[in-house]
Structures are given as structure tokens and as C-alpha cells.
């Protein structure tokens, strides 16, 4: 690779993640700032801070309420109302189960594994900590590079290949479409060490010793 191509690739590797991160933060900032609840405040940053503070306080207040007997009754009432609506109950129950699994699931939650799909093709999937009625393991098989879509597959436990990959390594492999696979080669530049041999003009210790008559 020529010098200008290598410099351009190195610059993109550094700048593109920063640009994407800044864009996501900016989008979230604009989304929160444009919520109708705080439009009476002129300062956008102040609107965002107030919205986040209210949300955090609401989370803690509801969490504290759920520890009481009244909280259990309130939750049961909300579940009853949501489950009475045919279309809404599917979304409500699915999102509630997803949040419960993500926050209070087993230690196997989201552990990356590999599974043989067809014709000995091995794909990266994630454990969900759930099982099908027949005992098969439920895995989430994301698509690359968009991990928000994918498939929920049911596989036998013996077909699940355990790996030592972390969640970050598996997500990097998927989001980069395979180009971000972990490099197993040792770091650094190999250096060949050539042992210097003494030339014919070099003298040994025996030659340096003084002679006696």
C-alpha cells in the first residue's frame, strides 16, 4: 500500500468513529431538546438537562414504588390494561420481557457463541438465557452490519459452540462485516538478529596474553 493510501486509511479509522459518535450524541440531544414537555424553556441545553433529571428521578421513584405492596397492584393493573388491547399487548409484553432479560437475566445473557447453521457454515449468535418449550436454547442471530435485525433460532445445546470471545469482540466482528476480526498475529515488527562472528583479524585472549622468555 502506498504512503498516501495508508495515511488516508489511518485517518479514516480515527475520524469516522468520532464523527459517528458525535452524530449519534447530537441526534439524541436534538430529540430530547425537541420534546414538547419543555418547549417553554428557551435554552436547548437546559431543556435536555431538565428532561434527563426528570427521567432519572422518575425511574428511581417508580423503582422504589415497585418495592411496596401498592407498586405490585399498580403493575398488575397496568399489565391487565395493556393485555386487554389485542395489538398493543404483543409490543408491551415483548418489550417488557426484553428489558427484564437485559437487566436481570442470567449470567449467560448475551454471551457470544457460534452455531452451525447449514452446510457446515458457522455463524456468530448470542445467548438469550431462554429456552424453547422442548428444551432447545434460544439464540439471537444478528445480521451484519445491522445488529438491530436478525433471527431468533432454536438449537440443541450440543450444537452451540462456546467461545472465549467477549461481547465487544463479537459485536465488532458483526458491525464491521468481518473486517474487524481479532488479529491473532503477535504485535510488533519482527527483527532478525544476526550474530556477529569474529573476523580473521580478531585476536583471542590467548593471543593477548604477554609471552615470557
Amino acid at each position: 500500500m502506498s504512503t498516501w493510501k495508508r495515511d488516508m486509511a489511518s485517518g479514516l479509522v480515527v475520524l469516522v468513529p468520532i464523527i459517528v459518535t458525535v452524530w449519534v450524541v447530537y441526534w439524541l440531544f436534538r430529540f430530547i431538546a425537541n420534546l414538547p414537555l419543555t418547549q417553554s424553556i428557551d435554552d436547548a441545553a437546559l431543556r435536555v438537562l431538565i428532561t434527563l433529571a426528570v427521567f432519572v428521578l422518575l425511574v428511581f421513584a417508580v423503582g422504589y414504588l415497585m418495592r411496596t405492596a401498592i407498586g405490585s397492584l399498580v403493575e398488575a393493573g397496568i399489565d391487565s390494561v395493556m393485555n386487554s388491547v389485542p395489538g398493543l399487548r404483543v409490543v408491551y409484553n415483548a418489550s417488557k420481557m426484553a428489558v427484564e432479560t437485559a437487566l436481570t437475566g442470567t449470567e449467560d445473557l448475551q454471551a457470544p457463541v457460534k452455531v452451525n447453521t447449514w452446510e457446515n457454515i458457522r455463524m456468530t449468535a448470542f445467548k438469550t438465557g431462554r429456552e424453547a418449550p422442548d428444551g432447545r436454547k434460544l439464540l439471537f442471530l444478528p445480521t451484519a452490519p445491522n445488529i438491530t435485525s436478525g433471527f431468533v433460532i432454536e438449537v440443541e445445546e450440543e450444537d452451540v459452540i462456546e467461545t472465549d470471545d467477549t461481547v465487544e469482540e463479537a459485536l465488532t466482528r458483526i458491525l464491521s462485516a468481518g473486517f474487524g476480526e481479532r488479529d491473532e498475529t503477535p504485535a510488533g515488527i519482527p527483527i532478525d538478529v544476526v550474530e556477529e562472528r569474529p573476523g580473521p583479524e580478531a585476536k583471542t585472549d590467548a593471543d593477548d596474553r604477554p609471552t615470557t622468555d
Side-chain angles (χ1 to χ4, degrees):
M1 182 182 294
S2 59
T3 303
W4 72 269
K5 290 182 178 180
R6 183 170 60 251
D7 293 342
M8 183 177 181
S10 301
L12 290 175
V13 168
V14 174
L15 291 179
V16 170
I18 296 176
I19 294 173
V20 172
T21 303
V22 171
W23 183 85
V24 171
V25 173
Y26 175 75
W27 182 87
L28 289 174
F29 180 87
R30 292 292 303 272
F31 175 78
I32 297 175
N34 291 328
L35 292 176
L37 300 177
T38 57
Q39 289 303 310
S40 59
I41 303 176
D42 296 332
D43 191 357
L46 185 59
R47 292 200 300 267
V48 173
L49 291 177
I50 293 177
T51 303
L52 292 178
V54 171
F55 177 75
V56 171
L57 291 176
L58 181 63
V59 169
F60 279 103
V62 173
Y64 177 79
L65 180 63
M66 290 299 105
R67 293 191 296 170
T68 63
I70 299 177
S72 301
L73 294 176
V74 172
E75 185 179 10
I78 295 175
D79 290 342
S80 178
V81 172
M82 292 298 181
N83 289 324
S84 62
V85 183
L88 189 60
R89 63 185 180 186
V90 176
V91 179
Y92 175 76
N93 290 326
S95 58
K96 184 176 182 179
M97 182 177 297
V99 173
E100 289 178 349
T101 303
L103 297 178
T104 61
T106 62
E107 60 181 7
D108 291 334
L109 173 65
Q110 294 185 351
V113 295
K114 294 182 180 179
V115 58
N116 291 322
T117 52
W118 62 89
E119 296 182 358
N120 293 326
I121 295 178
R122 196 168 64 182
M123 304 183 72
T124 301
F126 293 89
K127 290 182 178 180
T128 63
R130 304 285 180 172
E131 292 185 356
D134 59 355
R136 294 189 179 190
K137 301 296 182 181
L138 290 180
L139 304 179
F140 175 64
L141 184 65
T143 55
N146 181 17
I147 61 173
T148 59
S149 63
F151 306 92
V152 177
I153 58 177
E154 304 176 6
V155 298
E156 297 289 349
E157 187 173 3
E158 57 268 18
D159 295 332
V160 178
I161 305 173
E162 301 289 345
T163 66
D164 57 351
D165 293 341
T166 62
V167 176
E168 290 77 12
E169 290 172 343
L171 288 177
T172 300
R173 178 166 58 247
I174 298 171
L175 290 171
S176 64
F179 292 98
E181 181 60 79
R182 180 176 56 184
D183 190 3
E184 298 294 344
T185 57
I189 302 175
I191 301 176
D192 295 332
V193 179
V194 179
E195 182 181 359
E196 296 183 357
R197 296 181 179 178
E201 68 278 2
K203 295 182 179 181
T204 61
D205 294 341
D207 297 333
D208 293 339
R209 288 197 300 265
T211 58
T212 58
D213 294 336

